[in-house]
Amino acid sequence: MERTAPQEVIESLGAFLRRSTALADDDIRLRMNDLQEGRMRTPDSSTAVFRRPTMRQAAVRAPIAFPEHALEAADVPPDDVLGRLAQLEDHVAAQLQAGELPCVDVPDLHRANGIYDARGNVFLGPNVRRLAFDRRGAKSFLRLLLALEAASDNLRNGVCSTKRGLYYDQQTKLPDEGASQIDSDRAIATLANMLGVRRKSLGFVEACRGLVWGRLVIRDGEQIVDLSQLGPGGRSIPRFTDDLEIVSSDAAFILVVEKGSVAFTLAQVRWWEAARCILVCGGGFPSLSTREFVRTLVDTLGIPAKVLTDADPAGIRVALTYAHGSLSTALETPWLACNDVWWAGLHPSDIDRYCRTSELIQLSEADLESARRLLDHPSRAYVNERIREELALLVDRGAKVELDALSHEPSRLVDDYLPKKLFDSELVKL
């Protein structure tokens, strides 16, 4: 009979079971042979699958309530997370011992499974999809188990490891030329969603991405840093805000800039001195750390965040993500979504006033599809009417403009666009 999965993946599963479970070598060898020969029973819809375990210890609940029927997550103590990881490991081993093809139900990340509250914040609904160790899902299933193994090591040793490190570790244990960082990142997200914990509870950290400058004094560990005294290089946004203390700030607002080149232009002229602000750069689509940092600043200082992005669908998605979260990180929304966020542009309606015809870039098919998906979004709070008007203008024009067009001539950005948009115009509330 046809094998359920490539032989090298089956061999990698056997190696994982030997490292991480109490199964005897003879049992593992027998079951791996059964997998190779296609003799494992395929679970039917009534077969018991792994369900997230209940919490055994007190957890820090989310700062924003999850809506009814939404999947929930919590800040869970390490011992409890270890217990949940062990239960998942035991579930897979028990299925194999019973002669069944291993499978789990994982949260469905399709848009149809999104739940939105009255403000537009995005959460994940109860729908699941079956992930089985078959020809189609074997590699994803094994990456999930390897992420489980690495998370268990992190928590037992009281350390953190990088997401990039997990990718390389998975490549050594599951050689796959077609794999990328996205695949190992998805394994972490799936594992956290299944267990009902925040991603950082698994002991994985992102590469440092995101910078901050301006009128802010922080205590990071034992060090007190006055960010207003830093040069154009700025300071990396901390991976965790738990140990970060905001000492003082006289900023009137936070300017969140999508692109590093634009933020660097503003940093060189020390723009925060005249504008009395904190400058944050997410470096494209923002990391969880950057989003949590912005939320912390807004909540602690009681000042708004104003987001500056390209006039294109991707830029609009960046702004919406700061405000409401995204489906791929929906279980983190209560810790990341930010109430006082405004879109400062570059708006499609700004193009005629502030940009030159030579700076227009034709929308690609991917841009148009992204714009249409936003226009068709089911939540009128997530994509409000003002955003929809700007999207309609963008599609009608068929062209976009990037912020770099303004920052190539710093005076256009610093002396013209920003003063007029931030201080003399009505911004778009997100």
Side-chain angles (χ1 to χ4, degrees):
M1 297 179 65
E2 185 181 21
R3 291 170 178 164
T4 59
Q7 182 174 355
E8 64 271 16
V9 184
I10 294 174
E11 291 173 353
S12 295
L13 174 62
F16 165 81
L17 294 170
R18 290 184 179 90
R19 290 192 306 269
S20 302
T21 72
L23 291 176
D25 281 351
D26 288 345
D27 287 341
I28 293 173
R29 190 178 303 110
L30 175 63
R31 293 313 177 192
M32 295 306 99
N33 287 336
D34 289 342
L35 278 174
Q36 289 175 3
E37 299 301 325
R39 291 194 294 264
M40 303 293 277
R41 297 193 304 274
T42 302
D44 58 35
S45 58
S46 63
T47 300
V49 294
F50 179 78
R51 304 290 182 186
R52 67 170 60 191
T54 56
M55 284 180 291
R56 299 192 304 273
Q57 302 179 33
V60 179
R61 293 293 181 178
I64 295 176
F66 285 89
E68 186 178 5
H69 305 306
L71 286 184
E72 298 188 13
D75 272 324
V76 180
D79 287 347
D80 201 345
V81 181
L82 273 170
R84 298 182 186 206
L85 292 167
Q87 284 182 263
L88 176 53
E89 196 173 83
D90 292 344
H91 166 79
V92 173
Q95 283 187 309
L96 284 163
Q97 282 187 309
E100 290 187 344
L101 200 66
C103 71
V104 292
D105 281 349
V106 301
D108 187 353
L109 295 181
H110 287 96
R111 177 189 281 188
N113 197 32
I115 294 178
Y116 299 85
D117 66 12
R119 211 190 71 78
N121 295 332
V122 58
F123 301 88
L124 200 59
N127 297 343
V128 296
R129 62 179 179 85
R130 183 66 53 89
L131 176 62
F133 193 85
D134 54 20
R135 178 166 291 278
R136 182 179 180 182
K139 290 183 179 180
S140 295
F141 196 101
L142 186 54
R143 287 193 188 96
L144 179 67
L145 295 182
L146 294 176
L148 180 160
E149 181 182 22
S152 298
D153 288 343
N154 289 340
L155 296 175
R156 279 194 293 264
N157 296 326
V159 299
C160 290
S161 59
T162 64
K163 295 197 300 180
R164 189 63 176 171
L166 177 65
Y167 165 71
Y168 288 124
D169 180 61
Q170 292 193 351
Q171 285 297 91
T172 64
K173 295 172 180 174
L174 175 62
D176 183 1
E177 293 181 357
S180 70
Q181 178 81 53
I182 293 174
D183 297 301
S184 56
D185 287 354
R186 284 174 179 162
I188 295 173
T190 299
L191 184 61
N193 289 350
M194 288 177 63
L195 300 182
V197 302
R198 298 191 65 193
R199 297 185 194 189
K200 68 180 185 179
S201 298
L202 299 173
F204 294 110
V205 296
E206 305 159 307
C208 287
R209 184 160 60 88
L211 295 168
V212 58
W213 305 257
R215 303 171 82 111
L216 176 66
V217 179
I218 61 172
R219 184 193 303 274
D220 191 358
E222 297 299 319
Q223 185 180 25
I224 294 180
V225 183
D226 183 349
L227 301 181
S228 69
Q229 301 304 308
L230 299 181
R235 185 176 179 89
S236 294
I237 288 174
R239 291 187 174 109
F240 302 122
T241 60
D242 302 10
D243 299 325
L244 180 73
E245 178 188 352
I246 296 174
V247 176
S248 64
S249 175
D250 64 350
F253 65 95
I254 304 146
L255 184 67
V256 182
V257 181
E258 175 188 1
K259 306 185 85 167
S261 57
V262 179
F264 187 68
T265 296
L266 296 176
Q268 288 185 95
V269 298
R270 305 182 66 81
W271 189 73
W272 56 83
E273 293 180 350
R276 203 159 71 85
C277 74
I278 299 165
L279 176 63
V280 172
C281 177
F285 196 84
S287 65
L288 297 182
S289 301
T290 301
R291 290 160 59 188
E292 187 168 7
F293 182 67
V294 171
R295 178 193 166 93
T296 299
L297 291 177
V298 169
D299 288 355
T300 304
L301 300 176
I303 57 177
K306 303 178 181 183
V307 185
L308 195 64
T309 71
D310 291 338
D312 65 3
I316 294 172
R317 283 190 178 278
V318 166
L320 291 172
T321 297
Y322 279 108
H324 304 301
S326 66
L327 196 60
S328 63
T329 60
L331 266 70
E332 302 272 355
T333 292
W335 293 271
L336 304 178
C338 197
N339 283 330
D340 201 359
V341 179
W342 302 75
W343 183 31
L346 187 67
H347 301 156
S349 58
D350 293 332
I351 290 176
D352 287 336
R353 181 178 181 186
Y354 295 102
C355 303
R356 300 162 183 155
T357 304
S358 61
E359 294 165 343
L360 271 62
I361 302 171
Q362 184 175 0
L363 292 177
S364 67
E365 284 302 318
D367 290 329
L368 289 168
E369 176 60 24
S370 181
R372 294 187 190 106
R373 284 180 60 81
L374 286 170
L375 285 167
D376 292 338
H377 198 281
S379 172
R380 312 296 288 196
Y382 185 88
V383 185
N384 63 37
E385 294 307 314
R386 185 70 177 81
I387 296 290
R388 291 172 193 264
E389 290 173 6
E390 293 291 341
L391 282 163
L393 280 174
L394 192 70
V395 172
D396 184 61
R397 180 187 292 274
K400 61 185 179 181
V401 174
E402 297 182 347
L403 282 169
D404 304 79
L406 298 180
S407 64
H408 285 324
E409 300 176 40
S411 61
R412 289 175 64 197
L413 177 67
V414 173
D415 300 327
D416 186 24
Y417 184 78
L418 285 178
K420 291 176 181 176
K421 288 297 297 184
L422 295 179
F423 308 122
D424 298 331
S425 301
E426 182 177 350
L427 305 183
V428 177
K429 181 72 166 66
L430 299 175

